[in-house]
Amino acid sequence: MNFIPVILWSDALVFLLLATIIAAVWYVRRHEHLLLPWRRVVHNSVAMVSLLLLSLLLTIGLLDTLHFRVALPQANGSDKVYSPEVLSVFDKLVEPLRAQTEKTYSEPFALRLYARESMSDAQGNIVRDFPRLKYGGAHLADESQRTADILKRALLGGGLGLLVGLLSFYLTHRTLHCASGCDLAASFTTMVLTTLIGAVVSLAAAYHVLGTDKVGQDVLYLSLKSIRTGLIIGTVTTLVTLPLALFLGVAAGYFRGWVDDVIQYIYTVLSSIPSVLLIAAMVLMMQLFIDKHADWFDLAILRADARLVALCLILGLTSWTGLCRLLRGETLKLREMEYIQAAQSFGVSGLRILARHIMPNVMHIVLIALVMDFSALVLAEAVLSYVGVGVDPTMISFGTMINGARLEMGREPMVWWALAAAFGFMLVLVLAANLFADAVRDAFDPRLNRTGP
């Protein structure tokens, strides 16, 4: 093979989470009472539009999770040697965005750099001017053609994307034979997304759509790469949060007594410590451990990935208290129900009651809390990376993009597009997650009376 697969710790956790989700979907499909709330979600137009956006972002994140190393050119008879650079499937799909780097800053759709340089004119004189970009708009012989070329490429790519969206709409409605308001909203959103993606792909082939950063990297590429980091922080953290909150919460509510006192004491103490200071202290301790054992990480990406996984663990260890408190209160109410007392009267063990009667009846709270905490974790990563205690500086994320752009906001002329791109992509991710969380909360809320989907 000309490549060798690479599975990072974060990749393994993502695959584990994906397998858990698939198993949960299979389980829900076999139980009608669990499937009914999700049917309400499917019939919510806002939820489906949000789910389409999240699905697009999740697809980008999953493609960026499949890593590999390519083989280097070798002489005849020599052993195969692989590149120290670890790439992903997403990197190969957007190879021009990754490889075509400029010298320094350039504005979106610019043809020249953002800073003046000393250069020679046609007569050999040294002048201070803005040099042409190496890749952005390099196909244009006359700079006055830029506007017309941008419009042409946008219309061509958008038109092809719209055709794909219309074909998807036709095939979907012909196959499913449905035309409800929710379906029309989702189909309209699909056509808008395919049109936008088509226009961006067409333009990105010839221009830097969102400009370049200080070292000439394409900001659109950096923004898309940041999606994986945000998704991992928002989802993998649940692998730590969920077991702690679920088992400790229901144990405190059901067993009460000294068990309840100990668990309450633990989460009260954790809640009283400023979370940012606690996270910063634990991240710095983990970073010191990584620095002392640098021989364990023969590649730079392994070192950065170890810090990312450590950050997920730390955020999980410091964010389970709120869900635990909710589950304790719900379990205190459930243990007084007649069917629980009947099970106790028949001598059913406490662990069996927890597994068969308590946990299934608190899973709606778990699901709602996890979906709503996703956006908070994404924002937490941006804040922590901004103050320097988040992900590794070499890892691309929304926080590192904002941290790198903050110093450039005060220069003249101001470099605004890196910060705007990070803010825009993070806004779409968090807003879609919040809207979907609202729909899930409404669908699973037992206080809302519904007669059907």
Side-chain angles (χ1 to χ4, degrees):
M1 291 192 303
N2 292 327
F3 67 93
I4 180 173
V6 176
I7 300 180
L8 305 175
W9 280 105
S10 59
D11 299 341
L13 292 174
V14 169
F15 297 148
L16 175 61
L17 185 62
L18 191 61
T20 303
I21 294 174
I22 293 174
V25 170
W26 176 82
Y27 181 80
V28 168
R29 287 178 61 89
R30 293 170 57 90
H31 297 80
E32 184 64 26
H33 68 285
L34 298 177
L35 195 58
L36 180 60
W38 288 109
R39 287 176 176 164
R40 299 192 188 114
V41 175
V42 170
H43 285 80
N44 188 321
S45 59
V46 176
M48 294 311 297
V49 170
S50 302
L51 185 59
L52 279 174
L53 290 172
L54 288 175
S55 300
L56 176 61
L57 299 176
L58 285 171
T59 301
I60 295 174
L62 289 176
L63 290 175
D64 203 20
T65 301
L66 304 175
H67 291 99
F68 61 91
R69 295 166 62 187
V70 297
L72 297 174
Q74 57 182 350
N76 294 331
S78 61
D79 295 334
K80 186 172 291 188
V81 179
Y82 294 95
S83 171
E85 184 181 18
V86 178
L87 301 177
S88 67
V89 174
F90 176 76
D91 290 329
K92 297 301 293 183
L93 292 176
V94 295
E95 181 70 21
L97 292 180
R98 184 183 70 87
Q100 296 179 358
T101 59
E102 305 292 349
K103 199 170 184 179
T104 184
Y105 294 112
S106 65
E107 288 185 296
F109 297 104
L111 302 181
R112 294 180 176 272
L113 290 178
Y114 201 57
R116 294 179 184 271
E117 292 184 359
S118 298
M119 52 190 302
S120 301
D121 60 8
Q123 290 75 31
N125 300 321
I126 302 298
V127 296
R128 296 281 295 176
D129 200 359
F130 301 98
R132 281 290 297 266
L133 297 180
K134 186 177 180 181
Y135 299 103
H139 64 288
L140 296 178
D142 186 1
E143 296 185 29
S144 62
Q145 301 173 351
R146 182 183 65 169
T147 303
D149 185 66
I150 291 175
L151 291 175
K152 176 183 175 181
R153 288 177 176 273
L155 291 175
L156 180 61
L160 291 176
L162 181 60
L163 288 178
V164 173
L166 290 173
L167 180 62
S168 174
F169 174 81
Y170 173 76
L171 293 177
T172 300
H173 283 257
R174 184 172 181 177
T175 303
L176 301 179
H177 303 287
C178 55
S180 65
C182 173
D183 301 319
L184 293 177
S187 300
F188 176 76
T189 304
T190 301
M191 287 187 283
V192 171
L193 288 176
T194 55
T195 303
L196 181 61
I197 292 173
V200 171
V201 169
S202 179
L203 290 169
Y207 299 94
H208 298 291
V209 177
L210 297 179
T212 57
D213 65 356
K214 188 175 183 178
V215 295
Q217 287 184 299
D218 192 279
V219 173
L220 176 60
Y221 170 73
L222 297 178
S223 301
L224 294 174
K225 288 283 288 184
S226 300
I227 293 174
R228 175 184 180 268
T229 307
L231 291 175
I232 287 179
I233 293 291
T235 55
V236 173
T237 304
T238 61
L239 294 176
V240 181
T241 302
L242 182 56
L244 286 173
L246 182 59
F247 293 112
L248 294 180
V250 297
Y254 181 77
F255 293 110
R256 298 192 296 186
W258 67 269
V259 176
D260 188 19
D261 294 337
V262 171
I263 294 175
Q264 280 194 79
Y265 179 78
I266 293 174
Y267 70 61
T268 301
V269 171
L270 281 177
S271 300
S272 63
I273 302 174
S275 58
V276 175
L277 296 180
L278 180 60
I279 293 171
M282 298 179 70
V283 167
L284 293 175
M285 291 171 59
M286 181 58 65
Q287 184 61 40
L288 180 63
F289 175 82
I290 294 175
D291 292 339
K292 285 186 176 181
H293 301 84
D295 54 316
W296 293 3
F297 312 99
D298 54 345
L299 298 175
I301 192 172
L302 296 179
R303 181 189 181 96
D305 186 70
R307 180 162 172 172
L308 174 63
V309 174
L311 181 61
C312 292
L313 295 176
I314 292 168
L315 287 174
L317 290 173
T318 56
S319 61
W320 61 271
T321 56
L323 178 57
C324 181
R325 188 179 286 111
L326 289 174
L327 294 177
R328 173 185 173 273
E330 185 69 13
T331 305
L332 285 172
K333 182 182 70 175
L334 289 175
R335 77 182 306 275
E336 303 300 330
M337 303 295 289
E338 289 82 358
Y339 62 91
I340 299 293
Q341 294 180 354
Q344 293 173 342
S345 301
F346 281 108
V348 180
S349 64
L351 293 179
R352 187 172 180 83
I353 292 175
L354 288 177
R356 295 294 301 271
H357 300 293
I358 300 294
M359 287 189 180
N361 285 288
V362 299
M363 289 309 294
H364 66 285
I365 296 179
V366 173
L367 181 62
I368 294 170
L370 293 181
V371 175
M372 297 188 70
D373 286 346
F374 171 83
S375 57
L377 292 170
V378 173
L379 295 175
E381 182 277 323
V383 173
L384 293 173
S385 298
Y386 176 77
V387 299
V389 293
V391 299
D392 193 85
T394 61
M395 177 168 285
I396 303 173
S397 72
F398 294 124
T400 53
M401 287 183 65
I402 294 173
N403 188 35
R406 65 185 176 91
L407 298 177
E408 308 303 330
M409 295 296 291
R411 60 169 285 172
E412 183 62 35
M414 182 175 65
V415 178
W416 54 268
W417 48 89
L419 182 63
F423 175 79
F425 275 82
M426 192 163 56
L427 175 65
V428 172
L429 176 60
V430 172
L431 182 61
N434 284 342
L435 293 176
F436 185 71
D438 290 341
V440 171
R441 181 193 61 199
D442 293 342
F444 280 83
D445 192 344
R447 294 171 297 181
L448 298 179
N449 295 321
R450 294 183 178 90
T451 57

